[in-house]
Amino acid sequence: MTDPLGELSAAGVAVWLDDISRERLTEGGSHTALAKLLDESHVVGVTSNPTIFAGALAGSDDYDAQLHDLKVRGVTVDEAVRMLTTYDIRWACDVMRPAFDASGGVDGRVSIEVDPRLADQTEPTIAEAKQLWWLVDRPNLFIKIPATLAGLPAITAALAEGISVNVTLIFSLERYRAVMDAWLTGLEQAQANGHDIAKIESVASFFVSRFDTEIDKRLEKIGTPDALALRGQAAVANARLAYGAHLDVVNGQRWAALKAAGAKPQRPLWASTGTKNEAYPDTLYVEQLIAPNTVNTMPEKTMKAFADHGKVPGDTVTGNLQSAEMTLDALREVGVDYDDVVEFLERDGVAKFDASWKELLAGVQAKLEKA
């Protein structure tokens, strides 16, 4: 029998689950649904976001007992959300701890996001990151900080405090380079502050499918044969060039000094890898983004699809950097404004997570009233 997820892991791609819920942490008794994915599906990490949490709480009674206690204590809805979400994340960290230990602290990571309403505020984001790090209190935690302009100095500050960071909502190559600079600066400051930088991990979450969704709309509006022929190619090309930018940094002198002090590289993480266009293969953003020292965080539907019929032909990124550049050039030639696309996607991404957070708050408020 073939084992596509095992082959993917062997090719250097860490398989992470893009989902969390109380049900995953309770279903199955002592061998929970999440533990089963760790043991049987090569899953070595978990990511969460406001949308995932809003969905997890919306139709579940698994949180009712804790909601009752929170109501008795008279906590605010904001505090209730933090207690509910950090409880799940702490539990998931404990479930994933074997992967953390086995990988020397590289994998086995679980991510929780700072309040998305703070995306354009540096100091509150730093304070929130520190609070979440203290509240969950697990070495295999990642604090997700958005790669907004206000988020960049927060990323540096969090790392300088010894906090491991998952940088989220990256769409543009220029912003990704700024993220890597913020990461390097954070490690340098952490070292100066006396932290053991070997224990500080980071990933950079480069969003994929949303890129194709937006650019395909623009290509269809342009409507020329040359434009239509480029549909479904932009996201993979953009991500491949991001990996090229990553290689430039890890082959540089600045990183060499940190590496000599024990630091681990910031891995590119492919996020939003479930295909949104049914015309595209359901494993597209996994098969076309195979490269060493990367992470692919997948919705369970995508993970199951890859386990069923995914292919691992080897590294599908490194040898295709030139063709990726040609694809982005072709997009510009037919009239797609790259800078406008990435600016829109960042604004839209922050707005969607903000809306999900408000949905989460409203849902918890309603459940508290009924508890």
Side-chain angles (χ1 to χ4, degrees):
M1 293 180 63
T2 60
D3 182 10
L5 289 171
E7 293 174 25
L8 187 66
S9 300
V13 181
V15 178
W16 289 13
L17 174 69
D18 191 24
D19 192 40
I20 189 67
S21 68
R22 188 70 56 88
E23 182 180 3
R24 288 190 184 279
L25 297 164
T26 56
E27 185 182 65
S30 60
H31 193 229
T32 65
L34 182 58
K36 187 175 181 180
L37 288 173
L38 171 64
D39 294 340
E40 300 177 8
S41 298
H42 306 278
V43 171
V44 291
V46 177
T47 49
S48 70
N49 61 46
T51 305
I52 286 170
F53 274 123
L57 273 95
S60 172
D61 58 6
D62 292 315
Y63 298 88
D64 288 356
Q66 190 179 4
L67 282 161
H68 169 77
D69 292 343
L70 291 167
K71 182 177 182 178
V72 169
R73 289 175 53 211
V75 303
T76 66
V77 65
D78 285 84
E79 182 68 7
V81 166
R82 275 293 168 237
M83 293 298 100
L84 292 164
T85 56
T86 55
Y87 187 94
D88 281 2
I89 294 298
R90 188 182 307 107
W91 192 345
C93 282
D94 291 341
V95 174
M96 300 306 296
R97 186 60 187 260
F100 175 80
D101 293 337
S103 64
V106 174
D107 283 308
R109 297 277 175 170
V110 183
S111 299
I112 188 170
E113 191 149 349
V114 297
D115 186 335
R117 296 173 297 179
L118 306 176
D120 294 321
Q121 303 175 59
T122 301
E123 290 301 320
T125 295
I126 296 169
E128 173 91 345
K130 291 164 70 175
Q131 170 72 4
L132 288 171
W133 185 254
W134 170 83
L135 194 57
V136 176
D137 193 27
R138 294 295 186 272
N140 52 331
L141 177 67
F142 265 142
I143 303 297
K144 291 179 78 173
I145 299 176
T148 56
L149 289 175
L152 293 173
I155 292 160
T156 294
L159 290 163
E161 293 278 350
I163 296 170
S164 293
V165 174
N166 176 345
V167 184
T168 188
L169 287 177
I170 308 173
F171 296 96
S172 83
L173 296 168
E174 179 182 2
R175 185 60 56 82
Y176 179 43
R177 294 186 184 96
V179 164
M180 290 188 287
D181 181 72
W183 160 66
L184 290 169
T185 303
L187 285 182
E188 289 162 350
Q189 292 182 8
Q191 187 177 28
N193 291 339
H195 291 287
D196 181 358
I197 59 175
K199 295 181 179 179
I200 305 172
E201 277 284 337
S202 183
V203 293
S205 296
F206 211 86
F207 278 56
V208 184
S209 65
R210 295 187 192 186
F211 201 78
D212 265 345
T213 299
E214 179 60 26
I215 285 190
D216 282 359
K217 288 179 185 176
R218 300 187 184 210
L219 291 171
E220 288 165 4
K221 186 175 181 180
I222 295 167
T224 64
D226 286 347
L228 296 176
L230 290 167
R231 286 177 296 183
Q233 299 181 40
V236 167
N238 197 43
R240 284 172 171 171
L241 290 175
Y243 188 75
H246 159 76
L247 292 178
D248 290 341
V249 168
V250 297
N251 288 323
Q253 290 300 311
R254 191 178 177 192
W255 166 245
L258 289 165
K259 181 180 179 181
K264 300 185 184 75
Q266 182 189 63
R267 289 180 294 173
L269 180 151
W270 313 128
S272 185
T273 55
T275 50
K276 293 177 171 59
N277 188 331
E278 293 183 0
Y280 300 155
D282 53 5
T283 58
L284 174 67
Y285 302 125
V286 183
E287 291 180 357
Q288 295 301 308
L289 294 174
I290 299 171
N293 300 312
T294 58
V295 178
N296 196 308
T297 184
M298 311 175 206
E300 189 170 20
K301 180 179 178 182
T302 302
M303 188 179 295
K304 287 181 175 180
F306 195 84
D308 179 68
H309 51 267
K311 305 295 182 186
V312 183
D315 184 338
T316 56
V317 176
T318 310
N320 291 305
L321 299 180
Q322 185 175 2
S323 63
E325 189 67 63
M326 292 171 63
T327 297
L328 291 196
D329 288 341
L331 288 165
R332 295 185 183 97
E333 288 172 7
V334 299
V336 173
D337 186 335
Y338 179 92
D339 291 337
D340 184 68
V341 169
V342 295
E343 287 173 12
F344 166 78
L345 286 171
E346 181 179 301
R347 291 195 308 272
D348 185 60
V350 170
K352 284 179 176 174
F353 281 166
D354 183 89
S356 293
W357 191 260
K358 291 173 180 174
E359 178 187 343
L360 176 59
L361 289 169
V364 170
Q365 180 66 53
K367 285 178 174 287
L368 282 171
E369 291 171 0
K370 293 178 182 179

